[in-house]
Amino acid sequence: MKRFLIMLGILFILIVLTIMTFIGKDSKKENESKNGVTKLKVAEVTHSVFYAPWYVALHNNYFDNLDIEVILTSGANNVTSAVLSGDVEIGFCGPEATIYVYKENKDDYVQSFAGLTKRDGQFLVLRKGIKYDNFKSIEGLTILGGRSGGLLLNL
């Protein structure tokens, strides 16, 4: 649990640093409203528990002078396209689309700056009232593996 909390803290710090890094002087002038609040669009490829610190920060208004709009954009290729076209300022996605654009020798490409995980993470989330002591205690339950629409697993 301690390792998980440390990872969430690191993720939160990286997200804040990303926002501060990608808001350049030109972007601020274009997006600044009358009251000094900068409008910022962020595209994310999926809603994930890994982004929990990001959602907490948004919900609690931790980003002073920023009006952040989060757009769910399916697929890393669509997130990268949105960043390149200027529709969004920041994109959360895997590095694969960045590599494809770079290999095409484009003059305008995005840069990936951090790898937050080595592989896909999995979380066991239980409904209220289901007690969990170990995997044996949930034997016989039906589990949705991955995401909605994913495979059902019977333990």
Side-chain angles (χ1 to χ4, degrees):
M1 182 66 172
K2 186 176 179 181
R3 182 187 290 178
F4 176 72
L5 292 175
I6 290 171
M7 289 295 291
L8 286 178
I10 291 170
L11 176 64
F12 176 74
I13 291 168
L14 287 173
I15 289 169
V16 170
L17 289 175
T18 301
I19 290 173
M20 292 186 327
T21 301
F22 283 101
I23 299 176
K25 293 178 184 175
D26 296 336
S27 177
K28 281 185 180 178
K29 289 177 186 173
E30 291 174 8
N31 296 333
E32 197 166 307
S33 66
K34 293 177 184 176
N35 58 1
V37 174
T38 302
K39 294 182 179 181
L40 182 67
K41 287 185 183 177
V42 178
E44 65 180 10
V45 74
T46 186
H47 293 308
S48 170
V49 175
F50 280 119
Y51 297 153
W54 163 246
Y55 301 136
V56 169
L58 284 175
H59 181 73
N60 291 318
N61 299 316
Y62 289 170
F63 302 109
D64 289 339
N65 299 321
L66 290 177
D67 177 18
I68 300 174
E69 178 184 357
V70 180
I71 301 166
L72 185 60
T73 310
S74 63
N77 57 333
N78 293 329
V79 171
T80 303
S81 295
V83 172
L84 287 172
S85 69
D87 290 339
V88 301
E89 284 75 33
I90 296 174
F92 293 159
C93 66
E96 63 276 6
T98 303
I99 294 166
Y100 297 143
V101 171
Y102 182 78
K103 289 192 92 34
E104 289 179 10
N105 296 319
K106 300 283 186 185
D107 291 333
D108 189 20
Y109 57 89
V110 295
Q111 294 181 346
S112 296
F113 71 94
L116 301 177
T117 59
K118 291 182 181 177
R119 59 187 74 96
D120 287 338
Q122 299 296 321
F123 299 92
L124 181 60
V125 181
L126 301 170
R127 281 192 300 253
K128 212 174 193 177
I130 297 177
K131 187 176 179 188
Y132 174 81
D133 293 321
N134 54 38
F135 279 112
K136 200 82 167 140
S137 66
I138 59 171
E139 190 172 342
L141 295 178
T142 299
I143 297 176
L144 177 63
R147 63 191 182 285
S148 180
L151 231 33
L152 291 176
L153 306 174
N154 289 313
L155 294 180

PDB file of all heavy atoms in Angstrom, residues 81-102:
ATOM      1  N   SER A  81      -2.708  13.435 -32.279  1.00  0.00           N
ATOM      2  CA  SER A  81      -3.257  14.305 -33.336  1.00  0.00           C
ATOM      3  C   SER A  81      -3.852  15.569 -32.740  1.00  0.00           C
ATOM      4  O   SER A  81      -3.685  16.658 -33.297  1.00  0.00           O
ATOM      5  CB  SER A  81      -4.332  13.564 -34.130  1.00  0.00           C
ATOM      6  OG  SER A  81      -3.784  12.491 -34.828  1.00  0.00           O
ATOM      7  N   ALA A  82      -4.546  15.446 -31.614  1.00  0.00           N
ATOM      8  CA  ALA A  82      -5.146  16.608 -30.965  1.00  0.00           C
ATOM      9  C   ALA A  82      -4.073  17.588 -30.483  1.00  0.00           C
ATOM     10  O   ALA A  82      -4.233  18.809 -30.606  1.00  0.00           O
ATOM     11  CB  ALA A  82      -6.025  16.171 -29.791  1.00  0.00           C
ATOM     12  N   VAL A  83      -2.970  17.068 -29.970  1.00  0.00           N
ATOM     13  CA  VAL A  83      -1.867  17.935 -29.530  1.00  0.00           C
ATOM     14  C   VAL A  83      -1.230  18.618 -30.736  1.00  0.00           C
ATOM     15  O   VAL A  83      -1.004  19.835 -30.736  1.00  0.00           O
ATOM     16  CB  VAL A  83      -0.815  17.138 -28.729  1.00  0.00           C
ATOM     17  CG1 VAL A  83       0.413  17.999 -28.448  1.00  0.00           C
ATOM     18  CG2 VAL A  83      -1.404  16.618 -27.423  1.00  0.00           C
ATOM     19  N   LEU A  84      -0.937  17.848 -31.795  1.00  0.00           N
ATOM     20  CA  LEU A  84      -0.286  18.410 -32.982  1.00  0.00           C
ATOM     21  C   LEU A  84      -1.151  19.455 -33.686  1.00  0.00           C
ATOM     22  O   LEU A  84      -0.643  20.428 -34.227  1.00  0.00           O
ATOM     23  CB  LEU A  84       0.080  17.296 -33.964  1.00  0.00           C
ATOM     24  CG  LEU A  84       1.255  16.418 -33.546  1.00  0.00           C
ATOM     25  CD1 LEU A  84       1.392  15.230 -34.503  1.00  0.00           C
ATOM     26  CD2 LEU A  84       2.539  17.213 -33.491  1.00  0.00           C
ATOM     27  N   SER A  85      -2.466  19.255 -33.664  1.00  0.00           N
ATOM     28  CA  SER A  85      -3.360  20.199 -34.344  1.00  0.00           C
ATOM     29  C   SER A  85      -3.617  21.448 -33.506  1.00  0.00           C
ATOM     30  O   SER A  85      -4.170  22.420 -34.008  1.00  0.00           O
ATOM     31  CB  SER A  85      -4.693  19.517 -34.660  1.00  0.00           C
ATOM     32  OG  SER A  85      -5.405  19.270 -33.453  1.00  0.00           O
ATOM     33  N   GLY A  86      -3.237  21.408 -32.224  1.00  0.00           N
ATOM     34  CA  GLY A  86      -3.479  22.561 -31.359  1.00  0.00           C
ATOM     35  C   GLY A  86      -4.850  22.538 -30.708  1.00  0.00           C
ATOM     36  O   GLY A  86      -5.224  23.503 -30.036  1.00  0.00           O
ATOM     37  N   ASP A  87      -5.596  21.453 -30.895  1.00  0.00           N
ATOM     38  CA  ASP A  87      -6.905  21.346 -30.247  1.00  0.00           C
ATOM     39  C   ASP A  87      -6.766  21.223 -28.733  1.00  0.00           C
ATOM     40  O   ASP A  87      -7.652  21.624 -27.996  1.00  0.00           O
ATOM     41  CB  ASP A  87      -7.686  20.147 -30.783  1.00  0.00           C
ATOM     42  CG  ASP A  87      -8.139  20.359 -32.213  1.00  0.00           C
ATOM     43  OD1 ASP A  87      -8.208  21.530 -32.655  1.00  0.00           O
ATOM     44  OD2 ASP A  87      -8.422  19.358 -32.895  1.00  0.00           O
ATOM     45  N   VAL A  88      -5.667  20.614 -28.271  1.00  0.00           N
ATOM     46  CA  VAL A  88      -5.373  20.506 -26.845  1.00  0.00           C
ATOM     47  C   VAL A  88      -3.915  20.910 -26.626  1.00  0.00           C
ATOM     48  O   VAL A  88      -3.103  20.855 -27.545  1.00  0.00           O
ATOM     49  CB  VAL A  88      -5.621  19.079 -26.289  1.00  0.00           C
ATOM     50  CG1 VAL A  88      -7.067  18.645 -26.487  1.00  0.00           C
ATOM     51  CG2 VAL A  88      -4.677  18.073 -26.894  1.00  0.00           C
ATOM     52  N   GLU A  89      -3.629  21.281 -25.374  1.00  0.00           N
ATOM     53  CA  GLU A  89      -2.253  21.669 -25.058  1.00  0.00           C
ATOM     54  C   GLU A  89      -1.436  20.492 -24.519  1.00  0.00           C
ATOM     55  O   GLU A  89      -0.223  20.440 -24.703  1.00  0.00           O
ATOM     56  CB  GLU A  89      -2.235  22.795 -24.015  1.00  0.00           C
ATOM     57  CG  GLU A  89      -2.594  24.166 -24.574  1.00  0.00           C
ATOM     58  CD  GLU A  89      -4.082  24.342 -24.858  1.00  0.00           C
ATOM     59  OE1 GLU A  89      -4.914  23.760 -24.129  1.00  0.00           O
ATOM     60  OE2 GLU A  89      -4.410  25.045 -25.819  1.00  0.00           O
ATOM     61  N   ILE A  90      -2.099  19.555 -23.840  1.00  0.00           N
ATOM     62  CA  ILE A  90      -1.406  18.427 -23.223  1.00  0.00           C
ATOM     63  C   ILE A  90      -2.177  17.152 -23.530  1.00  0.00           C
ATOM     64  O   ILE A  90      -3.402  17.152 -23.541  1.00  0.00           O
ATOM     65  CB  ILE A  90      -1.310  18.611 -21.689  1.00  0.00           C
ATOM     66  CG1 ILE A  90      -0.463  19.842 -21.357  1.00  0.00           C
ATOM     67  CG2 ILE A  90      -0.719  17.383 -21.016  1.00  0.00           C
ATOM     68  CD1 ILE A  90      -0.443  20.183 -19.895  1.00  0.00           C
ATOM     69  N   GLY A  91      -1.455  16.051 -23.740  1.00  0.00           N
ATOM     70  CA  GLY A  91      -2.082  14.757 -23.953  1.00  0.00           C
ATOM     71  C   GLY A  91      -1.477  13.713 -23.053  1.00  0.00           C
ATOM     72  O   GLY A  91      -0.255  13.633 -22.923  1.00  0.00           O
ATOM     73  N   PHE A  92      -2.335  12.920 -22.402  1.00  0.00           N
ATOM     74  CA  PHE A  92      -1.880  11.794 -21.593  1.00  0.00           C
ATOM     75  C   PHE A  92      -2.106  10.525 -22.398  1.00  0.00           C
ATOM     76  O   PHE A  92      -3.239  10.153 -22.671  1.00  0.00           O
ATOM     77  CB  PHE A  92      -2.682  11.676 -20.293  1.00  0.00           C
ATOM     78  CG  PHE A  92      -2.475  12.794 -19.315  1.00  0.00           C
ATOM     79  CD1 PHE A  92      -3.421  13.044 -18.348  1.00  0.00           C
ATOM     80  CD2 PHE A  92      -1.340  13.579 -19.336  1.00  0.00           C
ATOM     81  CE1 PHE A  92      -3.240  14.053 -17.425  1.00  0.00           C
ATOM     82  CE2 PHE A  92      -1.147  14.593 -18.427  1.00  0.00           C
ATOM     83  CZ  PHE A  92      -2.101  14.831 -17.461  1.00  0.00           C
ATOM     84  N   CYS A  93      -1.020   9.876 -22.803  1.00  0.00           N
ATOM     85  CA  CYS A  93      -1.133   8.634 -23.552  1.00  0.00           C
ATOM     86  C   CYS A  93       0.218   7.941 -23.546  1.00  0.00           C
ATOM     87  O   CYS A  93       1.207   8.492 -23.072  1.00  0.00           O
ATOM     88  CB  CYS A  93      -1.602   8.890 -24.978  1.00  0.00           C
ATOM     89  SG  CYS A  93      -0.447   9.807 -26.004  1.00  0.00           S
ATOM     90  N   GLY A  94       0.237   6.757 -24.115  1.00  0.00           N
ATOM     91  CA  GLY A  94       1.485   6.023 -24.228  1.00  0.00           C
ATOM     92  C   GLY A  94       2.382   6.648 -25.290  1.00  0.00           C
ATOM     93  O   GLY A  94       1.946   7.484 -26.088  1.00  0.00           O
ATOM     94  N   PRO A  95       3.640   6.230 -25.335  1.00  0.00           N
ATOM     95  CA  PRO A  95       4.621   6.852 -26.227  1.00  0.00           C
ATOM     96  C   PRO A  95       4.568   6.376 -27.678  1.00  0.00           C
ATOM     97  O   PRO A  95       5.250   6.945 -28.526  1.00  0.00           O
ATOM     98  CB  PRO A  95       5.953   6.451 -25.596  1.00  0.00           C
ATOM     99  CG  PRO A  95       5.669   5.138 -24.966  1.00  0.00           C
ATOM    100  CD  PRO A  95       4.252   5.240 -24.456  1.00  0.00           C
ATOM    101  N   GLU A  96       3.746   5.368 -27.973  1.00  0.00           N
ATOM    102  CA  GLU A  96       3.805   4.778 -29.311  1.00  0.00           C
ATOM    103  C   GLU A  96       3.497   5.767 -30.429  1.00  0.00           C
ATOM    104  O   GLU A  96       4.176   5.788 -31.459  1.00  0.00           O
ATOM    105  CB  GLU A  96       2.900   3.546 -29.407  1.00  0.00           C
ATOM    106  CG  GLU A  96       1.421   3.808 -29.215  1.00  0.00           C
ATOM    107  CD  GLU A  96       0.954   3.847 -27.770  1.00  0.00           C
ATOM    108  OE1 GLU A  96       1.768   3.786 -26.849  1.00  0.00           O
ATOM    109  OE2 GLU A  96      -0.271   3.943 -27.577  1.00  0.00           O
ATOM    110  N   ALA A  97       2.486   6.619 -30.261  1.00  0.00           N
ATOM    111  CA  ALA A  97       2.125   7.572 -31.321  1.00  0.00           C
ATOM    112  C   ALA A  97       3.220   8.620 -31.507  1.00  0.00           C
ATOM    113  O   ALA A  97       3.485   9.060 -32.628  1.00  0.00           O
ATOM    114  CB  ALA A  97       0.786   8.233 -31.008  1.00  0.00           C
ATOM    115  N   THR A  98       3.868   9.001 -30.429  1.00  0.00           N
ATOM    116  CA  THR A  98       4.979   9.941 -30.516  1.00  0.00           C
ATOM    117  C   THR A  98       6.093   9.361 -31.380  1.00  0.00           C
ATOM    118  O   THR A  98       6.670  10.055 -32.219  1.00  0.00           O
ATOM    119  CB  THR A  98       5.534  10.234 -29.100  1.00  0.00           C
ATOM    120  OG1 THR A  98       4.484  10.736 -28.292  1.00  0.00           O
ATOM    121  CG2 THR A  98       6.652  11.234 -29.138  1.00  0.00           C
ATOM    122  N   ILE A  99       6.362   8.090 -31.186  1.00  0.00           N
ATOM    123  CA  ILE A  99       7.419   7.427 -31.956  1.00  0.00           C
ATOM    124  C   ILE A  99       7.041   7.354 -33.432  1.00  0.00           C
ATOM    125  O   ILE A  99       7.866   7.620 -34.311  1.00  0.00           O
ATOM    126  CB  ILE A  99       7.696   6.017 -31.384  1.00  0.00           C
ATOM    127  CG1 ILE A  99       8.275   6.150 -29.976  1.00  0.00           C
ATOM    128  CG2 ILE A  99       8.622   5.222 -32.287  1.00  0.00           C
ATOM    129  CD1 ILE A  99       8.283   4.869 -29.183  1.00  0.00           C
ATOM    130  N   TYR A 100       5.790   7.027 -33.744  1.00  0.00           N
ATOM    131  CA  TYR A 100       5.353   6.951 -35.136  1.00  0.00           C
ATOM    132  C   TYR A 100       5.500   8.293 -35.842  1.00  0.00           C
ATOM    133  O   TYR A 100       5.980   8.365 -36.971  1.00  0.00           O
ATOM    134  CB  TYR A 100       3.902   6.481 -35.237  1.00  0.00           C
ATOM    135  CG  TYR A 100       3.657   5.086 -34.701  1.00  0.00           C
ATOM    136  CD1 TYR A 100       2.486   4.791 -34.037  1.00  0.00           C
ATOM    137  CD2 TYR A 100       4.594   4.070 -34.867  1.00  0.00           C
ATOM    138  CE1 TYR A 100       2.250   3.511 -33.530  1.00  0.00           C
ATOM    139  CE2 TYR A 100       4.374   2.806 -34.367  1.00  0.00           C
ATOM    140  CZ  TYR A 100       3.201   2.524 -33.703  1.00  0.00           C
ATOM    141  OH  TYR A 100       2.971   1.276 -33.208  1.00  0.00           O
ATOM    142  N   VAL A 101       5.098   9.356 -35.181  1.00  0.00           N
ATOM    143  CA  VAL A 101       5.196  10.688 -35.791  1.00  0.00           C
ATOM    144  C   VAL A 101       6.661  11.067 -35.990  1.00  0.00           C
ATOM    145  O   VAL A 101       7.044  11.586 -37.041  1.00  0.00           O
ATOM    146  CB  VAL A 101       4.471  11.748 -34.919  1.00  0.00           C
ATOM    147  CG1 VAL A 101       4.744  13.154 -35.417  1.00  0.00           C
ATOM    148  CG2 VAL A 101       2.970  11.475 -34.894  1.00  0.00           C
ATOM    149  N   TYR A 102       7.492  10.798 -35.007  1.00  0.00           N
ATOM    150  CA  TYR A 102       8.915  11.124 -35.099  1.00  0.00           C
ATOM    151  C   TYR A 102       9.577  10.364 -36.235  1.00  0.00           C
ATOM    152  O   TYR A 102      10.390  10.911 -36.984  1.00  0.00           O
ATOM    153  CB  TYR A 102       9.612  10.818 -33.769  1.00  0.00           C
ATOM    154  CG  TYR A 102      11.074  11.162 -33.766  1.00  0.00           C
ATOM    155  CD1 TYR A 102      11.487  12.482 -33.615  1.00  0.00           C
ATOM    156  CD2 TYR A 102      12.042  10.176 -33.934  1.00  0.00           C
ATOM    157  CE1 TYR A 102      12.824  12.808 -33.623  1.00  0.00           C
ATOM    158  CE2 TYR A 102      13.381  10.490 -33.948  1.00  0.00           C
ATOM    159  CZ  TYR A 102      13.780  11.805 -33.787  1.00  0.00           C
ATOM    160  OH  TYR A 102      15.109  12.124 -33.801  1.00  0.00           O
TER     161      TYR A 102
END
